[in-house]
């Protein structure tokens, strides 16, 4: 069925290095994608989004890339900090505002 | 506060009891969503409101689950005759409507004994 998933369940990155979290989606009709960060005991926090008419969008220390040809989404975090430790979810906008989440990638920051 | 507020933060109930979970969305947000999140998994869609209208309840696991938003603001998710498999974090989110980010509360952690 239609789903959004991630390639790696856990990613360990040295503090100060860049992090890249990947996501594959299966619904070619989806036109809006979101990245969320979830810390332990908290709800998902919006990081950045991108619409299907774009292939790149930048925020503060974060960049989202969208490759519609291979249905791939990635989140790049520059100069990773200890506060970036969390689970990261990509989400795909379906019809009627409904979004579908992937399983998430846990990002560990090594000192 | 300015964010989505959920109560209670934690709820413990015995199997067979009924529970009610409350969500206060961001003021002015038209759309409201409920999700269920199992440990180590992503949030799973349960149901969605636009104002007071429940437009999609396809994710509700059984007829024991019921949600309402009678005045288009606060919403309640009710689970009747709770089962152990209902144990999860229940998240509420709201948005302005249309494609756009949903803003989440911190959830209610429900434990069924």
């Amino acid at each position: 069925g239609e789903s959004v998933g991630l390639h790696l369940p856990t990613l360990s990155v040295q503090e100060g290095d860049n992090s890249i979290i990947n996501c594959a989606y299966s619904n070619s009709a989806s036109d809006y994608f979101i990245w969320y960060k979830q810390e332990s005991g908290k709800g998902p926090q919006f990081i950045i989004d991108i619409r299907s008419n774009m292939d790149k969008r930048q925020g503060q220390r974060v960049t989202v890339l969208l490759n519609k040809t291979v249905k791939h989404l990635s989140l790049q975090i520059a100069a990773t900090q200890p506060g970036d430790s969390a689970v990261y979810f990509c989400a795909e906008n379906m019809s009627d505002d409904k979004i579908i989440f992937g399983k998430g990638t846990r990002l560990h920051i090594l000192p | 506060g300015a964010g989505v507020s959920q109560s209670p933060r934690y709820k413990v109930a015995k199997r067979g009891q009924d529970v009610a979970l409350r969500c206060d969305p961001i003021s002015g947000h038209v759309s409201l969503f409920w999700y269920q999140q199992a440990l180590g998994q992503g949030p799973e869609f349960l149901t969605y409101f636009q104002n007071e209208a429940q437009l999609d309840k396809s994710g509700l696991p059984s007829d024991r689950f019921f949600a309402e938003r009678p005045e288009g603001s606060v919403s309640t998710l009710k689970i009747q005759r709770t089962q152990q498999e209902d144990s999860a974090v229940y998240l509420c989110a709201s948005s302005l409507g249309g494609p756009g980010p949903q803003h989440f509360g911190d959830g209610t952690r429900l434990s069924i004994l």
Side-chain angles (χ1 to χ4, degrees):
Chain A
E2 296 170 343
S3 65
V4 178
L6 292 106
H7 295 293
L8 294 173
T10 305
L11 177 66
S12 295
V13 175
Q14 205 75 36
E15 184 179 346
D17 286 353
N18 296 336
S19 301
I20 299 176
I21 301 171
N22 294 305
C23 176
Y25 65 94
S26 59
N27 187 353
S28 56
S30 293
D31 59 3
Y32 177 65
F33 303 88
I34 315 113
W35 280 101
Y36 284 95
K37 172 186 180 182
Q38 188 173 26
E39 296 174 286
S40 181
K42 295 192 174 181
Q45 176 189 358
F46 170 80
I47 301 173
I48 192 167
D49 57 4
I50 189 167
R51 300 193 185 278
S52 60
N53 61 352
M54 303 172 69
D55 54 19
K56 181 178 179 178
R57 189 161 187 228
Q58 287 185 294
Q60 187 177 14
R61 281 202 309 119
V62 294
T63 300
V64 55
L65 299 177
L66 175 63
N67 185 330
K68 294 180 287 294
T69 302
V70 295
K71 291 186 283 188
H72 183 269
L73 195 66
S74 69
L75 176 70
Q76 300 178 1
I77 305 173
T80 311
Q81 303 170 356
D84 295 329
S85 289
V87 177
Y88 290 81
F89 294 98
C90 63
E92 172 183 16
N93 181 233
M94 310 293 282
S95 59
D96 296 331
D97 303 346
K98 188 164 117 180
I99 63 174
I100 302 296
F101 283 80
K103 290 186 171 56
T105 293
R106 182 174 296 280
L107 180 62
H108 288 289
I109 311 304
L110 305 171
Chain B
V4 176
S5 178
Q6 292 188 247
S7 61
R9 287 281 284 126
Y10 303 92
K11 176 70 179 176
V12 179
K14 292 183 179 178
R15 187 165 61 90
Q17 289 183 328
D18 298 348
V19 298
L21 313 180
R22 177 188 169 104
C23 174
D24 281 271
I26 294 172
S27 178
H29 276 194
V30 168
S31 299
L32 185 146
F33 306 81
W34 283 99
Y35 294 84
Q36 181 189 61
Q37 187 173 27
L39 191 64
Q41 301 293 318
E44 296 275 350
F45 171 83
L46 293 177
T47 186
Y48 146 60
F49 291 85
Q50 193 170 86
N51 297 305
E52 68 278 3
Q54 190 174 19
L55 298 187
D56 188 337
K57 54 182 181 179
S58 62
L60 296 177
S62 75
D63 58 8
R64 296 186 296 104
F65 287 70
F66 171 76
E68 60 183 3
R69 193 186 186 198
E71 297 178 357
S73 177
V74 170
S75 177
T76 303
L77 176 66
K78 297 178 180 178
I79 309 173
Q80 297 177 321
R81 305 181 303 281
T82 52
Q83 303 294 317
Q84 282 192 320
E85 61 263 29
D86 299 336
S87 296
V89 174
Y90 290 85
L91 294 164
C92 176
S94 69
S95 74
L96 290 168
Q102 296 178 15
H103 301 272
F104 284 80
D106 286 337
T108 294
R109 182 176 295 278
L110 176 65
S111 298
I112 305 300
L113 305 179

